[in-house]
């Protein structure tokens, strides 16, 4: 007789296995019950949400300072942006909590509906409530994936702004070294065209050597890197949601199939 405790599979399912044949058989059965697709999706979800929420929160804070220093002289010009940043940072706190709990729910659902669990714990029985719950997870996860696709798209807007700004600064530096004329003054970056500021904001635009000097500041590169993290996190979270949709759809199909065979509690 021996006692085997194996990670989350034993924690969610049967905590302790007693086997007369040794620990090896116990651990193989326990590891075989792990829903690896749901586990992978949960790890991806937590990683993506952490990157998005952490990077996004700090990037928004730096963005407010960045806009205030270089693109808007009057506080009233970016009051709407400041309010949006403040409220969206509160939304980020809620997103982190929600996805932490939702990931646990989907992982638990995966443990109890995966075919490996059915084979490990013997005769499997499902109820209409169980099938309805799985269908609910499919619909909710699909809706979240669509919503997160929109979030992923919006996350690309500030990143596109900083990519264009870095490209403009690079062009200014090249023109400054290769021409006798003041052509670099024609290279500008307008924050108003990206929707960050209203069109009556002053100055709202920076050009030439002033633009190049802004790109050399630590604030620029820190904010740029933070938006890259947020964008990558949003993409990873979107991938995790799609993996969740696949896993929950497969589990629901198994439940429906067994339900039609009349296997139930």
């Amino acid at each position: 007789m021996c006692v085997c405790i194996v990670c989350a599979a034993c924690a969610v399912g049967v905590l302790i296995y007693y086997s007369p044949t040794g620990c090896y058989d116990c651990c193989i059965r326990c590891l075989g019950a792990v829903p690896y697709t749901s586990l992978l999706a949960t790890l991806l979800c937590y990683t993506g949400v952490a990157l998005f929420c952490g990077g996004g929160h700090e990037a928004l804070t730096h963005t407010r300072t960045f806009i205030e220093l270089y693109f808007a002289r009057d506080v009233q010009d970016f009051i709407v942006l400041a309010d949006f940043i403040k409220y969206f940072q509160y939304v980020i706190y809620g997103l982190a909590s929600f996805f932490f709990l939702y990931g646990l729910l989907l992982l638990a659902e995966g443990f109890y509906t995966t075919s490996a669990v059915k084979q490990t714990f013997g005769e499997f029985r499902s109820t209409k409530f169980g099938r309805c719950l799985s269908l609910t997870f499919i619909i909710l996860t699909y809706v979240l994936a669509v919503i997160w696709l929109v979030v992923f798209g919006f996350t690309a807007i500030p990143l596109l702004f900083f990519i264009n700004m870095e490209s403009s600064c690079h062009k200014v530096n090249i023109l400054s070294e290769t021409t006798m004329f003041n052509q670099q003054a024609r290279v500008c970056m307008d924050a108003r065209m990206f929707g960050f500021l209203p069109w009556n904001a002053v100055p709202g635009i920076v050009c030439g050597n002033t633009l190049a000097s802004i790109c050399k500041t630590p604030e620029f590169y820190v904010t740029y890197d933070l938006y890259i993290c947020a964008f990558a996190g949003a993409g990873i979270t979107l991938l995790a949601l799609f993996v969740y949709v696949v896993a929950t759809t497969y589990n629901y199909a198994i439940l429906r199939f067994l339900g039609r065979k009349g296997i139930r509690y």
Side-chain angles (χ1 to χ4, degrees):
M1 299 293 292
C2 70
V3 178
C4 293
I5 301 177
V6 183
C7 302
C10 296
V12 177
V14 177
L15 291 177
I16 300 177
Y17 276 109
Y18 296 94
S19 174
T21 60
C23 286
Y24 179 78
D25 181 63
C26 299
C27 295
I28 292 299
R29 293 178 63 199
C30 191
L31 289 174
V34 177
Y36 292 101
T37 304
S38 297
L39 183 60
L40 174 63
T42 302
L43 294 176
L44 286 174
C45 182
Y46 286 168
T47 302
V49 170
L51 284 173
F52 175 79
C53 293
H57 184 277
E58 292 303 313
L60 289 174
T61 302
H62 284 78
T63 298
R64 176 175 178 175
T65 304
F66 190 78
I67 294 294
E68 184 179 2
L69 287 176
Y70 304 113
F71 289 93
R73 297 170 184 169
D74 190 353
V75 177
Q76 296 301 319
D77 289 337
F78 63 93
I79 190 66
V80 176
L81 177 65
D83 290 339
F84 171 79
I85 290 175
K86 180 178 67 174
Y87 292 124
F88 193 77
Q89 285 177 331
Y90 288 121
V91 172
I92 286 177
Y93 301 145
L95 283 175
S97 303
F98 171 78
F99 275 101
F100 175 77
L101 295 176
Y102 191 67
L104 289 179
L105 288 175
L106 288 179
L107 183 60
E109 193 265 349
F111 269 109
Y112 285 109
T113 57
T114 184
S115 58
V117 172
K118 302 167 198 171
Q119 296 171 3
T120 300
F121 296 114
E123 185 180 358
F124 175 79
R125 300 179 176 90
S126 66
T127 63
K128 291 183 178 180
F129 175 77
R131 294 192 293 272
C132 181
L133 184 62
S134 293
L135 181 60
T136 302
F137 277 126
I138 293 174
I139 296 174
L140 182 57
T141 306
Y142 182 80
V143 172
L144 285 174
V146 174
I147 295 174
W148 203 258
L149 183 61
V150 177
V151 174
F152 180 66
F154 275 106
T155 308
I157 296 177
L159 182 60
L160 179 63
F161 171 79
F162 280 93
I163 291 176
N164 288 340
M165 189 168 178
E166 184 181 44
S167 177
S168 299
C169 290
H170 181 67
K171 187 173 183 179
V172 169
N173 292 331
I174 293 177
L175 289 174
S176 298
E177 296 175 357
T178 60
T179 182
M180 299 284 295
F181 303 97
N182 196 25
Q183 294 182 8
Q184 67 269 20
R186 300 178 183 178
V187 181
C188 301
M189 200 67 201
D190 194 343
R192 297 170 297 184
M193 64 182 297
F194 290 88
F196 296 147
L197 296 173
W199 284 107
N200 59 351
V202 179
I205 185 173
V206 290
C207 303
N209 292 326
T210 303
L211 175 62
S213 63
I214 293 175
C215 290
K216 296 177 182 178
T217 59
E219 292 84 3
F220 174 79
Y221 286 104
V222 170
T223 309
Y224 189 12
D225 292 339
L226 287 171
Y227 274 118
I228 292 176
C229 291
F231 181 77
I236 294 173
T237 305
L238 182 62
L239 176 62
L241 290 174
F242 282 131
V243 175
Y244 272 136
V245 169
V246 174
T248 52
T249 302
Y250 171 77
N251 291 336
Y252 178 72
I254 295 296
L255 290 173
R256 290 286 295 175
F257 174 75
L258 294 176
R260 289 176 181 177
K261 294 175 64 176
I263 304 175
R264 54 174 299 171
Y265 279 123

